Amino acid sequence: MMKNSSPPLSGGAVDRGVMEDLAAASRILADQGVFDAAGHVSMRHPHHAERFLMSRSLAPALVTANDIMEFTLTCEACEARGRTGFIERYLHSGIYRARPDVMAIAHGHSPSVIPFGLVDTPMRATYHNAAFLAAGVPVFDIRDTFGVTDIVISSADRAAALAETLADKSVVLLRAHGFAAVGLNLQAAVFRAFFTEVSARVQLQTAALGGPMAVLDAEEGRMADAINLATHGRAWELWKRRVTP
Amino acid sequence: MMKNSSPPLSGGAVDRGVMEDLAAASRILADQGVFDAAGHVSMRHPHHAERFLMSRSLAPALVTANDIMEFTLTCEACEARGRTGFIERYLHSGIYRARPDVMAIAHGHSPSVIPFGLVDTPMRATYHNAAFLAAGVPVFDIRDTFGVTDIVISSADRAAALAETLADKSVVLLRAHGFAAVGLNLQAAVFRAFFTEVSARVQLQTAALGGPMAVLDAEEGRMADAINLATHGRAWELWKRRVTP
Amino acid sequence: MMKNSSPPLSGGAVDRGVMEDLAAASRILADQGVFDAAGHVSMRHPHHAERFLMSRSLAPALVTANDIMEFTLTCEACEARGRTGFIERYLHSGIYRARPDVMAIAHGHSPSVIPFGLVDTPMRATYHNAAFLAAGVPVFDIRDTFGVTDIVISSADRAAALAETLADKSVVLLRAHGFAAVGLNLQAAVFRAFFTEVSARVQLQTAALGGPMAVLDAEEGRMADAINLATHGRAWELWKRRVTP
Amino acid sequence: MMKNSSPPLSGGAVDRGVMEDLAAASRILADQGVFDAAGHVSMRHPHHAERFLMSRSLAPALVTANDIMEFTLTCEACEARGRTGFIERYLHSGIYRARPDVMAIAHGHSPSVIPFGLVDTPMRATYHNAAFLAAGVPVFDIRDTFGVTDIVISSADRAAALAETLADKSVVLLRAHGFAAVGLNLQAAVFRAFFTEVSARVQLQTAALGGPMAVLDAEEGRMADAINLATHGRAWELWKRRVTP
């Protein structure tokens, strides 16, 4: 990237409704307790696969459409207008580069999910709503590649390594940090972030009972997730209503 | 069922207050945290044992009396008026067919209940409010009869197998899916759905302490449940007030 | 008690503010999550040691001063005015009879407390606010004296046995049922009901860590409770403000 | 301190905005569930290192700027105006005396934190937001120095012993009592109090899974905490907005 270059070209105007949905996604995940004062959701630009949309650095409960910025996949702002992006926008761009199928990403630090990044117990798909976990939930430990760090995904290199760990899955855990959930559209990413959190709680409680767990196997998960993808609009409408003034 | 047949005959007009109570039941269980963006309550038609009433496919927190549809026990709508039923209305019809005594059913996916469908530990009646559990809480594993599925109770066959597992009990768990609670009237089904969830939480916490649990035995449960059935109106009134505009 | 007898004499008029505080106590414990749709608080009549005041049978969140009834220690209403008392008013009268020092009682079914009535692990005083537990928390199992029952404290005999188990302590657990907390005044009983619930949660979480617990011993508990008794007005004022229109 | 002496000199007028932030800090920690009806936050006087500012004795949810008092490091009020300080202001002064770097302190009794003061399991830094815990979290047991007490930090001696246990760390636990979190400014102390509570919950849940925990090590913690200190304003703004009328 040359110095003094002009800002990168935008992927083009985006419908106001799309921007409002992306902003609502942040507020939804805050309202539902998946995000706290941090956490962010992004989506790939609907008209340009090399651009993505994401809030400026702001508590997710406060995000509105005017806070949405557009970035290149090298994380440059197309039109900053004085706004500052999250440093972890690299996490998003790294996944968009590695996964052409992914259209939206949610990244947060839900307390119920953290334990599964700290111990050897893998996350399971405890019920149909969490069917997308049945394909497996990899854990990214930044130490493996980068040694001692501040654990922030603040560079293209770190993001690329994270995306490699994610591979073709729907969710990746970040050791001592949080999770990222991806989807073929915004609603799917939000749905998965939410039920990653819920299923983590269910699994923690199930573990207290001891013994083997008859979770969804991979094939059941694939079939049940198809149902989720066809019906998650019902949850989205409810959740959006709660955060729409 | 022949093609082009007329819609099935309705069981007759139902009091507006009954419809409003059925709608309130959905909102109550959402308000109390037993339902999330999914979950549904039904009741047998008060004047026709071969019909039942149930919301169209809608987040339970949003259900009003106008969303209530009437179905035959083969799950055909008597008057759809453009409304779409839940695919899992089959779960309800299957139980109404197998259990003439059952007048109302609640089905949800409460996170606290899921663990008991995944492990060998049976649910117990941890206290008087959950006395209806003392008779035993069977677990339905759809794999046993149908192999790999999407785990949805979306056919008469699946519902019949579930009802067979329920047998004469008040609650059945569905592996990796949720629970169904039944009652002799709407208030009883709601009361049981609520205290199934609470008792599950109590049992999970008790398990963390270790050692045998002096839960209600079957006879204590029968006697304590008689008290619940005589007094659950107090809870209903409180809960309904919270969800009535 | 003869038939057709006149109603028992009242202990005399009670300040409106006292009645409002007693009603607020019910609403406080509901608002704070200690009571659900059931639970009740009583106080000894301020001018007559053989009378006590307690809400009619009503969800505790809804109690107002007009719902307060006066009872003899044999549980007869002094002036029913068409109102129905809780059947478990016997629990209260039994304790007032056995414990002249007790001026107020709260009885509820908090989910966090139930586990300690089901297993052998005794409740401990996990921190200063729960110092009143350090003297010991006995468990009443109704089966020991009465065999199979509906577990309701619905008679003088059952209440006397419960009071005997309580002995000189501040809190008694009822197996598969709930707890009763007593105090030298209304605020103390409410404070103890609240922190019985909180300390139960703390102990459940501590148990998950394993190993011995350095809880308050009896002498520390006695000293720390003296501080609580001198300062619980701060909590009362905050809690009351939340439930006062 | 001589009798009949004049009140100690104030450190000087403090900006109204500073006083309002200090009051907001109490309300924030109550609103976020870290404080209950008790708990207090203080800050060193911005213009005088031998004075500190702290609310009068009042439930933290109710504190406003007018409730802020100024104290010497011997805990005398500079201008009481009829207001009564918390007896535990000694806890604050003791830390300010021992730790010249500390500019703000929060002390509370969060239920999730209590367990780690009762057992041998040390608190860990389960994720980046709790990075300040990675340096270690000492436990102060008042019995070790003072034998049987009411466990209140109500004297300079007790506070000095507590400060000695805190040493150069960010958080100290008080056995069967609570915690104190310190920071280089008010926002940092509040941030640390909040994430001490959250990380305690995470660790309790992780413990239920068993096995070693890949928590942040000391060096990772140091690096991640630098990020927190640069970004905690985002959380502060969100939290403050919630408690500002």
Side-chain angles (χ1 to χ4, degrees):
Chain A
M1 191 55 46
M2 292 180 296
K3 299 288 185 186
N4 300 319
S5 62
S6 305
L9 281 181
S10 164
V14 177
D15 277 356
R16 183 73 184 179
V18 171
M19 301 294 255
E20 287 179 345
D21 271 2
L22 179 54
S26 280
R27 299 198 306 273
I28 285 170
L29 289 171
D31 180 56
Q32 296 292 328
V34 180
F35 285 173
D36 52 14
H40 23 82
V41 186
S42 71
M43 62 181 291
R44 203 185 286 269
H45 193 293
H47 312 312
H48 193 322
E50 304 282 315
R51 299 286 182 276
F52 68 101
L53 307 170
M54 184 174 166
S55 164
R56 70 181 176 97
S57 178
L58 185 68
L62 306 179
V63 173
T64 64
N66 290 332
D67 299 308
I68 305 297
M69 301 174 70
E70 180 181 346
F71 296 99
T72 65
L73 293 191
T74 53
C75 287
E76 290 176 280
C78 296
E79 190 188 20
R81 296 205 311 263
R83 299 170 299 180
T84 307
F86 280 101
I87 185 64
E88 288 205 311
R89 64 188 184 275
Y90 284 96
L91 178 152
H92 298 254
S93 68
I95 293 174
Y96 288 123
R97 293 170 83 157
R99 286 280 298 272
D101 61 311
V102 167
M103 298 304 286
I105 302 169
H107 167 57
H109 321 110
S110 167
S112 301
V113 177
I114 303 293
F116 295 95
L118 297 177
V119 297
D120 281 339
T121 310
M123 281 198 75
R124 302 293 191 189
T126 59
Y127 71 130
H128 61 295
N129 281 325
F132 56 90
L133 300 177
V137 184
V139 177
F140 175 71
D141 186 349
I142 198 170
R143 288 185 303 194
D144 293 344
T145 311
F146 300 96
V148 171
T149 67
D150 57 15
I151 68 106
V152 182
I153 307 299
S154 52
S155 73
D157 281 357
R158 292 180 180 186
L162 173 68
E164 190 179 335
T165 300
L166 170 64
D168 63 345
K169 302 301 188 291
S170 298
V171 176
V172 61
L173 305 186
L174 292 76
R175 168 190 157 260
H177 180 165
F179 73 93
V182 306
L184 300 185
N185 56 54
L186 180 64
Q187 292 185 13
V190 168
F191 184 92
R192 286 173 175 175
F194 179 80
F195 283 107
T196 295
E197 199 274 338
V198 177
S199 190
R201 274 194 281 134
V202 172
Q203 187 172 344
L204 287 164
Q205 293 183 306
T206 310
L209 294 176
M213 297 182 199
V215 296
L216 295 180
D217 66 29
E219 185 60 9
E220 287 179 312
R222 198 186 61 74
M223 294 182 72
D225 197 39
I227 305 288
N228 291 340
L229 293 174
T231 58
H232 59 51
R234 199 165 55 209
W236 172 266
E237 289 306 324
L238 176 70
W239 294 339
K240 187 175 170 187
R241 179 184 290 231
R242 286 177 50 91
V243 300
T244 302
Chain B
M1 192 57 44
M2 291 182 296
K3 299 289 184 183
N4 300 319
S5 61
S6 305
L9 281 181
S10 164
V14 177
D15 277 357
R16 183 74 184 178
V18 171
M19 300 295 253
E20 287 178 346
D21 271 2
L22 179 54
S26 280
R27 298 197 308 273
I28 284 170
L29 290 172
D31 181 56
Q32 295 293 327
V34 179
F35 286 173
D36 53 14
H40 22 85
V41 186
S42 71
M43 63 181 290
R44 203 186 288 268
H45 193 292
H47 313 312
H48 193 322
E50 304 283 314
R51 299 287 181 274
F52 68 101
L53 306 170
M54 183 175 167
S55 164
R56 71 181 175 95
S57 178
L58 185 68
L62 306 179
V63 173
T64 64
N66 290 332
D67 300 308
I68 305 297
M69 301 174 70
E70 180 181 346
F71 296 99
T72 66
L73 293 190
T74 53
C75 287
E76 290 177 280
C78 296
E79 190 188 21
R81 296 206 311 263
R83 299 171 299 179
T84 306
F86 281 101
I87 186 64
E88 289 205 311
R89 64 187 184 274
Y90 284 96
L91 177 152
H92 298 253
S93 69
I95 293 173
Y96 289 124
R97 293 170 84 157
R99 286 280 299 272
D101 61 310
V102 167
M103 298 303 285
I105 302 168
H107 167 56
H109 322 110
S110 167
S112 301
V113 177
I114 304 292
F116 295 95
L118 297 177
V119 298
D120 280 340
T121 309
M123 282 198 76
R124 303 293 190 189
T126 59
Y127 72 129
H128 62 295
N129 281 325
F132 56 90
L133 300 177
V137 184
V139 177
F140 174 71
D141 185 349
I142 199 169
R143 288 183 303 193
D144 293 344
T145 311
F146 300 96
V148 171
T149 67
D150 57 16
I151 68 106
V152 182
I153 306 300
S154 51
S155 73
D157 281 358
R158 292 180 180 187
L162 173 67
E164 190 179 336
T165 300
L166 170 64
D168 64 345
K169 302 301 188 290
S170 298
V171 175
V172 61
L173 306 186
L174 292 76
R175 167 192 158 258
H177 179 165
F179 72 94
V182 306
L184 300 184
N185 57 54
L186 181 64
Q187 292 185 14
V190 169
F191 184 91
R192 286 173 175 176
F194 179 80
F195 283 107
T196 296
E197 199 273 339
V198 177
S199 189
R201 275 194 281 133
V202 171
Q203 187 172 344
L204 287 164
Q205 293 183 305
T206 310
L209 294 176
M213 297 182 197
V215 296
L216 295 180
D217 66 29
E219 184 61 10
E220 287 178 312
R222 199 187 60 74
M223 294 181 73
D225 197 40
I227 305 290
N228 291 339
L229 292 174
T231 58
H232 59 52
R234 198 164 57 208
W236 172 266
E237 289 305 324
L238 176 69
W239 294 338
K240 186 176 169 187
R241 179 184 290 230
R242 285 178 50 92
V243 300
T244 302
Chain C
M1 191 56 47
M2 291 181 297
K3 298 289 183 184
N4 299 320
S5 63
S6 304
L9 282 181
S10 164
V14 177
D15 277 357
R16 183 74 184 179
V18 171
M19 301 294 254
E20 287 178 346
D21 271 1
L22 179 54
S26 280
R27 299 198 307 273
I28 284 170
L29 289 172
D31 181 56
Q32 295 293 328
V34 179
F35 286 174
D36 52 14
H40 22 84
V41 187
S42 72
M43 63 181 291
R44 202 185 287 268
H45 193 292
H47 313 311
H48 193 323
E50 304 282 315
R51 298 286 181 276
F52 68 101
L53 307 169
M54 183 174 167
S55 164
R56 69 181 176 97
S57 177
L58 185 67
L62 307 179
V63 173
T64 63
N66 290 332
D67 299 308
I68 305 296
M69 301 175 70
E70 179 181 347
F71 296 99
T72 65
L73 294 190
T74 53
C75 287
E76 289 176 280
C78 296
E79 190 187 20
R81 296 205 311 263
R83 299 170 299 179
T84 307
F86 281 102
I87 186 63
E88 289 206 311
R89 63 188 184 274
Y90 285 96
L91 178 151
H92 297 254
S93 68
I95 294 174
Y96 289 123
R97 293 170 84 157
R99 286 279 300 271
D101 61 310
V102 167
M103 298 303 286
I105 302 168
H107 167 57
H109 321 110
S110 167
S112 301
V113 177
I114 304 292
F116 295 95
L118 297 178
V119 298
D120 281 340
T121 310
M123 282 199 75
R124 302 294 191 189
T126 59
Y127 71 130
H128 62 295
N129 281 325
F132 56 89
L133 300 177
V137 184
V139 177
F140 174 70
D141 186 349
I142 197 169
R143 288 184 303 194
D144 293 344
T145 312
F146 300 95
V148 170
T149 68
D150 57 15
I151 68 106
V152 183
I153 307 300
S154 52
S155 72
D157 281 356
R158 292 179 180 186
L162 173 67
E164 190 179 336
T165 300
L166 170 64
D168 63 346
K169 303 301 188 290
S170 299
V171 176
V172 62
L173 305 186
L174 291 76
R175 168 191 157 259
H177 180 166
F179 72 93
V182 306
L184 300 184
N185 57 54
L186 181 64
Q187 292 185 13
V190 169
F191 184 91
R192 286 173 175 175
F194 179 80
F195 283 106
T196 295
E197 199 274 339
V198 177
S199 190
R201 274 193 282 133
V202 171
Q203 187 172 345
L204 287 164
Q205 292 184 305
T206 310
L209 294 176
M213 297 183 197
V215 296
L216 296 180
D217 66 28
E219 185 59 10
E220 287 178 313
R222 199 187 60 75
M223 294 182 73
D225 197 39
I227 305 289
N228 291 339
L229 293 174
T231 58
H232 59 51
R234 198 164 57 210
W236 172 266
E237 289 305 325
L238 176 70
W239 294 338
K240 187 175 170 188
R241 178 184 291 230
R242 286 177 49 91
V243 300
T244 301
Chain D
M1 191 56 45
M2 293 180 296
K3 298 288 185 186
N4 299 321
S5 62
S6 304
L9 281 181
S10 164
V14 176
D15 278 356
R16 183 73 184 178
V18 171
M19 301 294 253
E20 287 179 346
D21 270 2
L22 179 54
S26 281
R27 299 198 306 272
I28 284 170
L29 289 172
D31 181 56
Q32 296 292 327
V34 179
F35 287 173
D36 53 13
H40 22 84
V41 186
S42 71
M43 62 181 292
R44 203 186 286 268
H45 193 292
H47 313 312
H48 193 321
E50 304 282 314
R51 299 288 181 274
F52 69 101
L53 307 170
M54 183 173 166
S55 164
R56 70 182 176 96
S57 178
L58 185 68
L62 306 179
V63 173
T64 64
N66 290 332
D67 299 308
I68 305 296
M69 300 175 71
E70 180 181 346
F71 295 99
T72 65
L73 294 191
T74 53
C75 287
E76 289 176 281
C78 297
E79 190 188 20
R81 296 205 312 263
R83 299 171 299 180
T84 306
F86 281 102
I87 185 64
E88 288 206 311
R89 64 187 184 274
Y90 285 96
L91 178 152
H92 297 254
S93 68
I95 294 174
Y96 289 124
R97 293 170 84 158
R99 286 280 299 272
D101 60 311
V102 167
M103 297 304 285
I105 301 168
H107 167 56
H109 322 111
S110 166
S112 300
V113 176
I114 303 293
F116 295 95
L118 297 178
V119 298
D120 281 340
T121 309
M123 282 199 75
R124 303 292 191 190
T126 58
Y127 71 130
H128 62 295
N129 282 325
F132 56 90
L133 299 177
V137 184
V139 177
F140 175 71
D141 185 349
I142 198 169
R143 287 183 304 193
D144 294 344
T145 312
F146 301 95
V148 171
T149 67
D150 57 15
I151 68 105
V152 182
I153 307 299
S154 51
S155 72
D157 280 357
R158 292 180 180 186
L162 173 68
E164 190 178 336
T165 300
L166 170 65
D168 62 346
K169 302 302 189 289
S170 298
V171 176
V172 61
L173 305 186
L174 291 77
R175 168 190 157 260
H177 180 166
F179 72 94
V182 306
L184 301 183
N185 57 53
L186 181 64
Q187 292 185 14
V190 169
F191 184 91
R192 286 173 175 175
F194 179 80
F195 283 107
T196 295
E197 199 273 339
V198 177
S199 189
R201 273 193 283 133
V202 172
Q203 188 172 345
L204 287 164
Q205 292 183 306
T206 310
L209 294 176
M213 297 182 198
V215 296
L216 296 179
D217 66 28
E219 185 60 10
E220 287 179 312
R222 198 187 60 74
M223 294 182 72
D225 197 39
I227 305 290
N228 291 339
L229 293 173
T231 58
H232 59 50
R234 199 165 57 209
W236 173 266
E237 289 305 324
L238 176 70
W239 294 338
K240 186 175 169 187
R241 178 184 291 231
R242 286 177 51 91
V243 299
T244 302

